[in-house]
Amino acid sequence: MNTIDISGELIDKLTIADLIQFERLYRDQRQWERLRTTYHPDAVIRLGWFVGNADEYIASSRQLDANKGGWHIMHVTHPTLVQVRGERA
């Protein structure tokens, strides 16, 4: 692998890690409109408590947050590890 390949992969990893960290930050801070910007239009979110598209996930997250009576969990996002394999991460 040459220096150009390594640099490109490093930029990809940093970009993806940054996106993941902002996604968690926006959810934790209840910035729902900004949270929506972190998802691709065709995204499918699969978690232990949810499976659906981004709009459904955000709506469910808002509902879950409202039902907790002010109690809120903050996600730990650092370090974010990203593996790139071809065009997938």
Side-chain angles (χ1 to χ4, degrees):
M1 190 178 280
N2 64 37
T3 304
I4 295 171
D5 292 338
I6 292 171
S7 296
E9 183 175 328
L10 182 59
I11 290 170
D12 289 346
K13 286 182 173 188
L14 290 172
T15 300
I16 293 165
D18 192 57
L19 177 66
I20 292 167
Q21 291 173 21
F22 272 106
E23 187 274 344
R24 295 287 80 192
L25 176 70
Y26 293 153
R27 185 173 187 275
D28 288 348
Q29 293 185 350
R30 301 172 180 105
Q31 296 184 34
W32 309 117
E33 296 306 315
R34 285 185 170 179
L35 178 61
R36 180 65 186 96
T37 68
T38 64
Y39 293 104
H40 187 275
D42 296 332
V44 175
I45 293 86
R46 291 182 179 92
L47 303 170
W49 63 274
F50 177 85
V51 176
N53 68 36
D55 290 330
E56 294 166 336
Y57 173 65
I58 294 167
S60 294
S61 294
R62 291 179 84 153
Q63 184 65 39
L64 185 64
D65 183 61
N67 290 340
K68 288 184 177 179
W71 183 74
H72 194 69
I73 294 175
M74 297 297 285
H75 291 89
V76 176
T77 61
H78 213 82
T80 301
L81 304 176
V82 177
Q83 294 180 331
V84 177
R85 294 195 178 122
E87 294 192 17
R88 295 187 57 95

